[in-house]
Amino acid sequence: MGLTKEGVATAVRNRLRAARLYTDNADEAPTLVVHVLLMHSKLGPGGAFAVDTTLHKRVYDPLSGVFGSVQTVIGNARLGLHAGKAAFILSEIAQQMDEFIDTYLRVNESACY
């Protein structure tokens, strides 16, 4: 079908870079995890897929002095039919990333500009 982990990662990074939300410094950045589940049909080239995205952000509690992680599910999981074509899945990932970026920039407006 042509869908690869590298292809998904590149698509996500490109969206984040375009919004100026991407850094190569892993110590500074939250971790964005994109899960893709593929279900293939025995009846033909089609099948279904599910995509969900989670943001893991490192946080510090000044009262206890402990670092931890906060996990935020981004949007709703997307379900769809892929017809054996990676483009359908990449399109859903792009839409989910756009929604995430819009929300992230709105919520963090003062820090992002």
Side-chain angles (χ1 to χ4, degrees):
M1 138 188 278
L3 185 69
T4 64
K5 182 178 179 178
E6 294 79 21
V8 170
T10 298
V12 169
R13 271 194 310 269
N14 287 343
R15 283 280 205 268
L16 293 173
R17 276 192 183 111
R20 299 177 188 246
L21 295 177
Y22 181 82
T23 179
D24 288 320
N25 186 346
D27 292 335
E28 294 178 10
T31 302
L32 191 65
V33 179
V34 178
H35 293 106
V36 179
L37 175 65
L38 297 176
M39 296 152 274
H40 297 284
S41 171
K42 292 183 179 182
L43 302 175
F49 69 90
V51 176
D52 71 83
T53 307
T54 308
L55 180 70
H56 300 264
K57 185 172 182 179
R58 188 176 165 151
V59 294
Y60 174 71
D61 178 14
L63 293 177
S64 66
V66 175
F67 283 94
S69 178
V70 174
Q71 177 178 325
T72 305
V73 175
I74 301 182
N76 296 317
R78 303 243 191 240
L79 305 172
L81 301 175
H82 59 68
K85 297 181 182 177
F88 290 133
I89 298 167
L90 291 172
S91 175
E92 287 296 326
I93 291 170
Q95 185 176 354
Q96 195 170 59
M97 290 305 305
D98 288 344
E99 290 173 10
F100 161 71
I101 290 167
D102 286 346
T103 302
Y104 186 90
L105 291 175
R106 179 178 44 79
V107 170
N108 295 286
E109 184 174 6
S110 63
C112 291
Y113 295 105

